[in-house]
Amino acid sequence: MKDNLRFDTILIHGSDVEEPFGAAVTPIYQVSTFKFKNAAHGAACFAGEDPGFIYTRIGNPTISALEKTLAKLENAAKCVVTSSGMAAVNTVYMSFLSAGDHIVSTAAVYGPSRVVIEKYWSRFGIQYSYIDTTDVENIKKAIRPNTKMLYLETPTNPTIAITDLKAAAEIAHQHNIVVVVDNTFCSPILQRPLDLGVDVVLHSMTKFINGHADIVAGAIMSKTEALDKIIRPTMVNMGCNMDPTQAYMVIRGVKTLSLRVKKQQENAQIIAEWLEKHPAVASVAYPGLPSHPQYELGKKQMDGPGSLISFELKGGHVAGEKLMNNIQLVMLAVSLGGVESLMSHPASMTHSKMTKESRLEGGITDGLVRFAVGIEDVNDIIADLDQALRKCI
């Protein structure tokens, strides 16, 4: 029966780990090292012939339980969890890019994911092209003989644009290019890129998967065991491992992923429709609105529009500053995916390390506001937005 569990059941029982003392939930194995039964056992563990644990940087029972659950949620062969979302990003870069290689990526990708390529990885000869991947013809044009990775984020951060993953993966694979997707904005409940032909999926588990704004963590899911055998040793040797207490917190958080995402999405749809009619708002980007440029693709590729909304105010940057200085219930903070509603200004916060030219290439204007909708009563959220937006007219 455990081989055919549905999504919501996997969230609760996905690790399929038998605890020696019958614990109902996976306990925290807060240890650095594990003892061997004898010399032969130790040798077998190091040789990979025995699945026993050696050292927490390499593996740990609490961490392993989380990895098994996440792999099932994404329909992955294997999962590697990391100490942060950016640890996952850099582990993927280190695993597949070498000096002289070229990466093609979404222009409006999460700011630090782009900054580390432009500022740090470029020092070692990595070349890059950041493009509008919503038009797959741009991907074809950007590919070079030395292109080794197509790194996508969909929906994008923070413009909420959608890329056709199946079409993009088909193009990349014609050139033997590994396809990586940051699936943070959707979580596995709304989008499973591996099923659409993608090779590697990563998450900032700080966001929806954990969902309570109390830890930072990352995850990397591989379509094949062969890919995992490239990624896992890189993570181990780079020291990007998760702490067992982190893993325990995520295991606790992931159990309510379905309940949280459904409520957030329900709230977001109502709020997005309300924002479209507000006199202070110039435009709204939300996949659940027919006005979204990739509305039909979103319905086909995703199991729901999610809970991230971006909107532009008629008053531009000045109005945006007024809005964020006057919200009361909604928190002025970065991040997303937690139970609380958060609002941020990408140009001065999450994407501030990018040049203005790079931001505009990705559609990140100075007046763009990103709104991560929480699970509060939707009427209370709207009341707060309304009183703040009225000050922007």
Side-chain angles (χ1 to χ4, degrees):
M1 180 177 177
K2 287 189 176 182
D3 292 333
N4 299 299
L5 299 180
R6 293 170 176 81
F7 192 93
D8 287 0
T9 307
I10 293 171
L11 292 172
I12 311 300
H13 301 287
S15 68
D16 197 22
V17 174
E18 293 293 334
E19 292 298 335
F21 299 106
V25 297
T26 305
I28 305 172
Y29 287 87
Q30 194 66 52
V31 298
S32 59
T33 194
F34 299 83
K35 65 180 181 181
F36 305 117
K37 298 172 184 176
N38 49 48
H41 179 227
C45 287
F46 272 97
E49 298 165 357
D50 189 293
F53 296 99
I54 300 169
Y55 188 66
T56 283
R57 179 167 58 82
I58 301 170
N60 174 287
T62 313
I63 294 169
S64 178
L66 174 60
E67 290 175 335
K68 288 178 179 179
T69 296
L70 295 173
K72 289 179 181 178
L73 294 177
E74 283 280 9
N75 294 328
K78 293 286 185 177
C79 171
V80 175
V81 294
T82 60
S83 55
S84 70
M86 283 309 298
V89 170
N90 282 297
T91 295
V92 166
Y93 289 162
M94 178 65 80
S95 296
F96 298 104
L97 297 175
S98 300
D101 287 347
H102 175 243
I103 178 174
V104 175
S105 185
T106 308
V109 74
Y110 176 56
S113 299
R114 177 168 177 169
V115 167
V116 293
I117 287 287
E118 294 179 332
K119 186 174 181 180
Y120 300 106
W121 290 94
S122 62
R123 288 162 38 192
F124 305 104
I126 301 300
Q127 302 166 25
Y128 52 86
S129 296
Y130 286 94
I131 61 171
D132 176 7
T133 56
T134 61
D135 183 350
V136 294
E137 291 300 315
N138 291 336
I139 297 174
K140 292 179 181 178
K141 294 173 185 175
I143 290 174
R144 304 175 186 173
N146 61 332
T147 303
K148 294 296 189 290
M149 180 184 292
L150 174 61
Y151 184 102
L152 304 169
E153 185 173 343
T154 180
T156 54
N157 184 357
T159 56
I160 323 296
I162 299 173
T163 296
D164 187 331
L165 291 178
K166 186 175 181 180
E170 288 174 354
I171 292 167
H173 290 156
Q174 290 171 7
H175 301 272
N176 296 315
I177 296 168
V178 66
V179 183
V180 180
V181 171
D182 184 336
N183 198 30
T184 298
F185 267 31
C186 282
S187 84
I189 189 172
L190 298 181
Q191 183 171 263
R192 288 165 297 282
L194 298 181
D195 293 348
L196 298 172
V198 169
D199 302 303
V200 177
V201 167
L202 61 84
H203 290 267
S204 169
M205 294 198 297
T206 311
K207 315 303 194 296
F208 287 104
I209 289 177
N210 179 58
H212 291 82
D214 51 11
I215 60 102
V216 293
I220 309 165
M221 289 75 145
S222 301
K223 190 176 184 68
T224 66
E225 292 198 16
L227 289 166
D228 179 74
K229 288 178 180 178
I230 298 171
I231 294 167
R232 185 172 293 276
T234 305
M235 183 282 291
V236 169
N237 290 318
M238 293 296 292
C240 294
N241 58 288
M242 177 178 280
D243 179 83
T245 300
Q246 269 183 301
Y248 174 85
M249 297 285 278
V250 180
I251 290 170
R252 183 197 63 176
V254 77
K255 293 178 190 294
T256 60
L257 174 65
S258 180
L259 298 173
R260 289 184 282 103
V261 168
K262 287 174 183 176
K263 176 60 176 176
Q264 288 167 306
Q265 181 172 261
E266 177 186 312
N267 282 353
Q269 183 70 45
I270 295 169
I271 293 167
E273 292 174 3
W274 177 83
L275 282 169
E276 270 201 317
K277 301 172 185 176
H278 200 284
V281 176
S283 61
V284 179
Y286 179 65
L289 296 175
S291 59
H292 191 285
Q294 294 91 40
Y295 175 70
E296 293 299 332
L297 173 61
K299 288 199 298 181
K300 177 182 175 182
Q301 183 168 282
M302 299 157 59
D303 291 334
S307 57
L308 272 294
I309 303 170
S310 285
F311 59 95
E312 189 86 28
L313 295 170
K314 291 178 180 177
H317 186 278
V318 173
E321 190 172 297
K322 285 183 181 179
L323 171 64
M324 287 181 284
N325 285 338
N326 283 284
I327 52 175
Q328 298 171 9
L329 177 68
V330 177
M331 298 182 192
L332 177 57
V334 296
S335 199
L336 55 102
V339 293
E340 56 284 305
S341 292
L342 305 177
M343 185 173 288
S344 63
H345 180 234
S348 65
M349 296 179 183
T350 53
H351 293 71
S352 60
K353 300 301 181 184
M354 293 169 58
T355 64
K356 185 170 183 177
E357 181 182 45
S358 294
R359 288 199 300 271
L360 291 176
E361 282 177 3
I364 305 167
T365 60
D366 287 346
L368 188 71
V369 174
R370 191 186 77 182
F371 184 31
V373 180
I375 66 171
E376 303 96 339
D377 188 291
V378 70
N379 296 297
D380 290 332
I381 300 173
I382 288 175
D384 186 36
L385 288 173
D386 191 43
Q387 65 83 23
L389 282 168
R390 288 187 182 282
K391 296 179 175 67
C392 303
I393 299 174

